[in-house]
Amino acid sequence: MNDEQVVEADLTWLEGSFRPNIQSVTGADGRISEVGPLGRTTMNRLADRAILPGLVNVHSHAFQRGLRGLGERFPEGAGSFWTWREAMYRLVESLSAETLYDLSRQAFREMLRCGITCVGEFHYVHHDHSGEGFALDEIILNAARDAGIRMVLLQTYYQIGGIGRPLEGGQRRFRCDSPRKFWRQFDRLAGQPGNPRISFGAAVHSVRAATIADLVSIHAESVRRGLVFHIHVEEQRREIDDCTAAYGLAPMALLNQRLEVDERLTAVHCTHTTPEDLRAFVQSGGSICLCPTTEGNLGDGIPDIAAIRSAAGVICLGTDSNVRLCPTEDMRWLEYVQRLRSESRGVLTDDEGRVASNLFRMATESGARSLGLNCGSIAAGNLADFVTLDLKAPPLAGWSPETLLDGWVFGTGEDVVDGVCVGGTWHRFR
Ligand SMILES: [Zn+2]
């Protein structure tokens, strides 16, 4: 994409509502240079289409796409996160560079197909069967590049196999020996010739996978570098029990006490985090990433969203295990679980009582904040990342500009997605 593009759809999602007669101009740098009723000659007129900002998937492990359809039978009775993790480790042990590439590219293509234009890839499977060399880091970069998705590679530190335990089995493919070696590999990856769609952030897998000293060290260096930093927190009660037994504090309390929490820090899941710890974290600027489909599939539990909202905390969304890739499903299930629990309707409302636009904001603007990117809304200066909907698709029949977003979020999936644009490059599906 070398030239300026002027795009106009029948409707454009702008500042919280659908508006007609809006043109957006994308420059050669892949960013929006102008948007509004510009009166420009339209080169790309998208008839019977609505255009919205592309969805931001904050948390993915692309390789886990290989588990889809597996682990859903329970001949020995109920399973758990921990029995699922054994299946995931078996997949890890079987991965070659080729299968990792194929699974990851497949996952990234499916994300684009359902309207996700940007993914935060929480990447911890670093090594091939030799258990060293970080050869698989390049594979993920290649898969994202070839699929055409925007990616923030969240390069992930993983050093121990549980609090006070060595790595074992498939975990050896995650190994990072020390923060020094971690940053050396990070610099090697980030120093390669630039791809405008790929950027980098740092992660520590969890308090289960690093000593507190290494966690503090890597987070401090990521702050110094101005990077976003992500970590899994309190998805399972066992993690809280083990952490409290070892350090006298639950994981989130430990983060609040030991890290300089700010808007670049995202905690993923927080399923069992106390209201006090949640409020302290989000009041310092941290984001909470929830992954409703995966959390439901794994039987994790229900996070205390009321506590996050009471402190005006930022919630964003991730697809995590990629057992199903459908952002509208994640959006509505975030709301539905709270409805089921509260026996009421309209839980995650905004100031005007709207649910879908609030969920959509979590899946776009809040995700962009978590990943440190200028995207998630159609505005001058932002990345030209869009999703378009087919207004003639039967599942949307009966729409009006006032009901279209609600109908999309609550009633449809990837079946109405017409195409996506990533930094000015279009992918069409219909
Ligand atoms: Zn995860």
Side-chain angles (χ1 to χ4, degrees), residues 59-61 64 122 124 205 232 235 268-269 291 294 320-321:
H59 187 73
S60 157
H61 311 287
Q64 292 178 14
F122 195 108
Y124 58 88
H205 179 277
H232 292 116
E235 182 179 9
V268 182
H269 299 308
C291 308
T294 294
D320 199 3
S321 71

Side-chain angles (χ1 to χ4, degrees), residues 249-290:
L249 284 174
M252 185 59 111
L254 205 145
L255 261 55
N256 284 330
Q257 187 181 88
R258 299 294 302 275
L259 304 188
E260 185 185 322
V261 178
D262 63 15
E263 72 281 353
R264 291 184 177 272
L265 179 48
T266 295
V268 182
H269 299 308
C270 303
T271 315
H272 302 288
T273 304
T274 66
E276 297 74 28
D277 290 344
L278 278 172
R279 280 194 285 268
F281 182 78
V282 299
Q283 280 168 350
S284 298
S287 296
I288 308 291
C289 177
L290 303 175

Side-chain angles (χ1 to χ4, degrees), residues 17-39:
S17 65
F18 279 113
R19 293 168 56 182
N21 306 315
I22 298 294
Q23 297 176 321
S24 61
V25 183
T26 298
D29 60 356
R31 290 181 180 270
I32 301 165
S33 57
E34 283 182 277
V35 60
L38 304 173

Side-chain angles (χ1 to χ4, degrees), residues 19-151:
R19 293 168 56 182
N21 306 315
I22 298 294
Q23 297 176 321
S24 61
V25 183
T26 298
D29 60 356
R31 290 181 180 270
I32 301 165
S33 57
E34 283 182 277
V35 60
L38 304 173
R40 295 277 296 267
T41 302
T42 303
M43 289 181 274
N44 188 2
R45 176 73 177 90
L46 300 170
D48 300 318
R49 304 287 184 268
I51 189 166
L52 303 90
L55 295 152
V56 179
N57 176 11
V58 170
H59 187 73
S60 157
H61 311 287
F63 78 93
Q64 292 178 14
R65 172 65 181 79
L67 287 173
R68 190 179 294 176
L70 303 176
E72 300 292 353
R73 299 182 187 191
F74 308 95
E76 295 171 12
S80 69
F81 170 87
W82 305 103
T83 57
W84 171 86
R85 194 176 75 155
E86 291 308 311
M88 188 267 282
Y89 283 175
R90 283 195 293 278
L91 172 66
V92 167
E93 291 196 64
S94 75
L95 284 176
S96 65
E98 290 72 28
T99 53
L100 177 70
Y101 174 84
D102 289 345
L103 287 170
S104 301
R105 191 182 58 168
Q106 174 73 16
F108 295 145
R109 282 178 169 172
E110 286 181 24
M111 289 179 200
L112 289 166
R113 180 65 189 83
C114 62
I116 292 166
T117 49
C118 176
V119 58
E121 177 63 20
F122 195 108
H123 170 63
Y124 58 88
V125 188
H126 298 299
H127 308 299
D128 60 22
H129 286 104
S130 70
E132 54 190 44
F134 290 96
L136 301 188
D137 294 358
E138 310 275 352
I139 300 296
I140 291 287
L141 292 171
N142 292 344
R145 180 198 64 207
D146 294 349
I149 200 166
R150 187 180 305 288
M151 178 173 75

